[in-house]
Amino acid sequence: NAGGGFATAVQIAGDHAAELTVNRRQIHEWEHHALAELRHGHVLTGFRAYVDHDCVVLHERTGDVHHAAVDAWLASHQAGHHAVLLAGTRNEARTLNRLARQQLADHLHGPVLELDDRHFQAGDRIVLLRNSYGHTDLERNQPCWVDNGMIATITHGADSASAGAAL
């Protein structure tokens, strides 16, 4: 069924469906309770727990939310964590990426490469979107491959003629 693949799978599985009963990811006990509230459809109660523990940042303007998200992401990134920015739409993703790249401008180096109206530079982190096999890892001189969804860091620039190989 459109838009409800997981719900449909559970419905079809009936009594054979697995159910999450133990939460091992969240660190604090309050998080376990908040997620249980969310899981059981008590969204306002679960959300309130996150607000009460200063885990939600509210702003009146969308632009302020974007800037706060990028600032938090950058602080986490600079602390050595592998934080990600999540967006609800492609337009919002472009906005967050543009803001993040502006924040990181001082940390990027080398020539700017433009592909499909997007700019890339050594130091940029990118998500690879196509599987590709039969390459050689130049640092280790070993066979390697690219899987859709892998994250990479651009290490050096190239001219537009060899851009595909550099990325």
Side-chain angles (χ1 to χ4, degrees):
N1 289 341
F6 187 73
T8 300
V10 170
Q11 183 181 11
I12 291 170
D15 292 340
H16 300 290
E19 181 180 346
L20 174 66
T21 58
V22 178
N23 182 332
R24 300 185 195 283
R25 282 191 146 180
Q26 279 54 46
I27 297 169
H28 305 289
E29 189 63 30
W30 71 264
E31 292 176 290
H32 293 270
H33 296 294
L35 285 176
E37 293 291 343
L38 292 172
R39 217 176 15 257
H40 291 99
H42 306 131
V43 176
L44 291 178
T45 304
F47 181 73
R48 173 51 62 200
Y50 284 93
V51 171
D52 291 346
H53 287 88
D54 295 323
C55 294
V56 175
V57 177
L58 301 172
H59 291 282
E60 290 186 21
R61 296 182 337 197
T62 304
D64 293 338
V65 171
H66 291 154
H67 282 282
V70 169
D71 289 347
W73 169 82
L74 183 59
S76 182
H77 177 73
Q78 290 174 333
H81 303 291
H82 295 286
V84 296
L85 285 166
L86 299 176
T89 65
R90 288 183 181 178
N91 188 47
E92 188 173 38
R94 280 190 291 275
T95 299
L96 291 171
N97 284 333
R98 181 181 46 76
L99 290 171
R101 195 160 197 293
Q102 287 171 352
Q103 291 273 359
L104 287 174
D106 293 339
H107 304 283
L108 302 176
H109 51 277
V112 175
L113 174 67
E114 184 176 341
L115 292 170
D116 297 326
D117 295 326
R118 298 178 72 189
H119 298 91
F120 300 94
Q121 208 168 349
D124 271 330
R125 303 264 301 154
I126 59 173
V127 177
L128 304 171
L129 300 177
R130 292 190 189 123
N131 295 335
S132 184
Y133 305 101
H135 301 284
T136 300
D137 180 327
L138 298 176
E139 290 181 8
R140 298 184 191 118
N141 196 28
Q142 296 177 346
C144 67
W145 61 92
V146 172
D147 286 329
N148 179 19
M150 283 182 156
I151 297 174
T153 301
I154 297 177
T155 59
H156 64 278
D159 61 32
S160 59
S162 61
L167 297 176

